[in-house]
Amino acid sequence: MEKRIGSYPRVRIESGGRTVVSQAGGVLLVETVRKTGLDTAISAALMPWQKPRAVHDPGKVLLDVALAVALGGDCLADASMLRAEPAVFGPVASDPTVSRLIDTLAASEEKALAAVRAARAEARARVWTVAGERAPNADGAVTVDLDGVLVIAHSDKEDAAPTWKRTYGHHPLMGFVDHGPGGTGEPVAALLRPGNAGSNTADDHVTATQLALAQLPKEYRRGRRTLIRTDSAGGTHTFVTWLAQRGRWLSYSVGMTVTEQIHSHVLKVPASAWTPAVETGGGIRDGAWVAELTGDVLTGWPKGMRLIVRKERPHPGAQLRITDADGLRLTCFATNTANLPIAELELRHRLRARAEDRIRNARATGLRNLPLHRTAQNRIWLEIVQVALDLLAWMPMLALTGTARLWEPRRLRLRLFAAAGQLVTTGRRRVLRLARHWPWTDVITDALNQLAILPNPD
């Protein structure tokens, strides 16, 4: 009897397989591109940058890099894994061609970025229309979360600087559309800033909001149906006044710093004025209460602004601040929503924490570092990252059901995109056969069937 050594079987490795396709599950993203019309939109937008007698379409080159990032790549050279599978991803440009395109787009920075953003907005409007009840605006409202991201630089890059966390790199300000509890989220703004950019710079928040609004369908670019949420970095007079400006009329839920004036007003709130905070299921949040502040604490702020404060027992080991009271942690936010109880408004603002999940997904999708040297190049890279995140949000929204729709990029890559397949030619047609024993083959095939029944772009 032969003695077995080790826990895993030994397999002989040989090269030369021609019909095996790696990353076969990536066909989900390819079909998403086709059904959303993103390929034709970006190709048309980048047509002015196509050189005479060029072999590769600039739009296809940019999308190939975005697909590579969505599949787990973190640099331009990772497009090579698509180049190795032309049967699935088509002809892919060489690394020098990709680099030259990025340099060309960076040379006409603002025009190129505007072109790509316009194409993304066009595709987004179509996706939301096709998605129907799954779209983030299914209830007639859209929520945009703004938050800063620290991107560490491991080498000397243009505009890299020390950050407020004593690291070194950049400090982009990003915006994400919240898909609610039944989905994830999609990026709508990314403003690249130096590492020493201030967290509460009002002009940057205004610019990021303008970029975000331009990505939304026209009916959501102004009016109360669009909610802008930020943490206390957005709690400045300039930004709140801009949001509430006549003719813009955006809804907002903006975190505020607990100042001495706010702290003194909190101490005067009677016990009867505190309302228990609530959880998402409607139950009472243990050890948390909310109240609304009125009076001269609102002086100088836009008309209709409400100031709501929450006090809560801190978690074990948490350090209290000088502005906390009676051993309870104080937080505060401002909103102009008038028709909801303060407990519901506080819950709505607390759900802004989903933006942290979106940032974590962005870090896992090309934002772990900025791979290029010049700022203009990295702004193009940041747009590529957003295209990749768009695809990772649109594909589940259009094709996946149940808990699979909540899967984050890391899980999508491990379970769906990493599936291998066999390419078979029969009857002059190429068929990609997925492994029958792969646990999530049915999820992939069901998703592809769901994408197939969607209408094709005009």
Side-chain angles (χ1 to χ4, degrees):
M1 180 177 177
E2 184 179 354
K3 185 177 180 181
R4 182 166 171 263
I5 301 176
S7 302
Y8 298 96
R10 296 185 63 182
V11 180
R12 176 180 292 181
I13 303 298
E14 293 182 355
S15 62
R18 296 183 179 181
T19 61
V20 177
V21 177
S22 302
Q23 299 288 334
V27 71
L28 284 168
L29 296 177
V30 174
E31 288 302 312
T32 301
V33 169
R34 182 179 293 112
K35 286 296 183 176
T36 59
L38 184 61
D39 52 348
T40 56
I42 290 187
S43 292
L46 296 185
M47 189 62 67
W49 287 271
Q50 184 168 8
K51 296 181 178 181
R53 293 180 293 180
V55 175
H56 296 281
D57 176 13
K60 171 70 163 56
V61 175
L62 192 79
L63 268 178
D64 285 340
V65 178
L67 284 171
V69 172
L71 292 172
D74 61 1
C75 66
L76 299 179
D78 285 333
S80 58
M81 65 178 176
L82 274 64
R83 192 180 306 117
E85 304 294 352
V88 176
F89 301 104
V92 176
S94 64
D95 289 346
T97 301
V98 173
S99 297
R100 283 195 298 267
L101 175 65
I102 299 301
D103 290 339
T104 300
L105 296 179
S108 28
E109 187 177 354
E110 292 301 333
K111 290 183 179 180
L113 289 173
V116 176
R117 289 165 181 166
R120 290 177 55 220
E122 177 184 339
R124 193 181 318 280
R126 172 176 170 77
V127 170
W128 289 12
T129 300
V130 173
E133 295 182 355
R134 294 184 174 188
N137 64 336
D139 60 353
V142 174
T143 299
V144 176
D145 292 315
L146 299 181
D147 208 347
V149 186
L150 290 182
V151 181
I152 305 301
H154 300 284
S155 61
D156 189 16
K157 294 183 172 65
E158 187 177 5
D159 284 339
T163 71
W164 60 277
K165 279 195 172 182
R166 297 183 180 181
T167 56
Y168 182 79
H170 296 82
H171 189 191
L173 183 61
M174 300 193 68
F176 299 90
V177 170
D178 184 19
H179 284 192
T184 54
E186 53 191 283
V188 286
L191 182 64
L192 185 58
R193 306 185 300 169
N196 56 3
S199 298
N200 58 349
T201 305
D203 291 342
D204 290 344
H205 279 78
V206 170
T207 302
T209 304
Q210 290 173 329
L211 293 175
L213 294 175
Q215 284 295 308
L216 305 182
K218 290 183 179 180
E219 60 269 28
Y220 295 102
R221 294 177 185 176
R222 64 179 67 243
R224 296 291 192 211
R225 291 189 296 174
T226 301
L227 173 69
I228 306 297
R229 284 192 307 207
T230 74
D231 56 10
S232 58
T236 61
H237 282 79
T238 301
F239 184 54
V240 174
T241 301
W242 184 88
L243 292 171
Q245 185 176 347
R246 183 179 181 86
R248 191 169 289 116
W249 303 118
L250 295 166
S251 296
Y252 60 82
S253 184
V254 178
M256 304 289 285
T257 301
V258 180
T259 62
E260 291 185 7
Q261 184 185 25
I262 293 176
H263 186 258
S264 63
H265 276 72
V266 171
L267 297 178
K268 299 175 183 177
V269 176
S272 58
W274 290 97
T275 301
V278 297
E279 296 284 9
T280 52
I284 300 299
R285 185 175 176 86
D286 184 42
W289 301 266
V290 294
E292 184 170 0
L293 303 182
T294 57
D296 60 355
V297 72
L298 299 176
T299 302
W301 292 94
K303 183 180 179 180
M305 190 184 91
R306 304 173 68 183
L307 196 60
I308 299 172
V309 65
R310 180 186 73 181
K311 63 179 183 180
E312 184 174 17
R313 285 196 293 266
H315 298 294
Q319 296 292 324
L320 292 175
R321 296 167 294 193
I322 193 171
T323 53
D324 295 329
D326 300 327
L328 300 176
R329 173 64 52 84
L330 296 180
T331 56
C332 187
F333 71 96
T335 182
N336 59 349
T337 304
N339 57 350
L340 289 178
I342 58 175
E344 293 186 27
L345 292 174
E346 190 276 332
L347 173 62
R348 184 184 71 174
H349 183 75
R350 197 182 339 132
L351 292 177
R352 194 204 65 81
R354 292 183 185 135
E356 300 297 331
D357 297 331
R358 309 290 84 81
I359 290 175
R360 184 177 66 252
N361 294 339
R363 292 184 190 278
T365 310
L367 205 59
R368 182 179 60 85
N369 69 328
L370 298 177
L372 306 172
H373 178 73
R374 293 190 293 116
T375 297
Q377 295 172 320
N378 282 322
R379 291 185 68 189
I380 302 297
W381 175 261
L382 204 54
E383 205 66 29
I384 291 173
V385 168
Q386 290 182 86
V387 174
L389 290 171
D390 280 337
L391 294 175
L392 292 173
W394 293 345
M395 188 276 290
M397 183 167 60
L398 296 175
L400 298 183
T401 58
T403 57
R405 191 186 166 192
L406 299 175
W407 288 353
E408 294 187 350
R410 292 180 187 274
R411 183 162 294 180
L412 289 173
R413 293 173 191 135
L414 180 65
R415 296 186 174 184
L416 302 186
F417 304 153
Q422 183 181 26
L423 192 64
V424 179
T425 302
T426 174
R428 297 185 179 180
R429 293 188 305 172
R430 288 181 298 181
V431 179
L432 185 62
R433 293 178 178 173
L434 301 177
R436 184 178 302 172
H437 63 273
W438 187 251
W440 301 280
T441 293
D442 289 342
V443 178
I444 300 173
T445 54
D446 290 345
L448 289 172
N449 291 334
Q450 187 66 31
L451 288 171
I453 64 177
L454 296 178
N456 292 318
D458 295 335

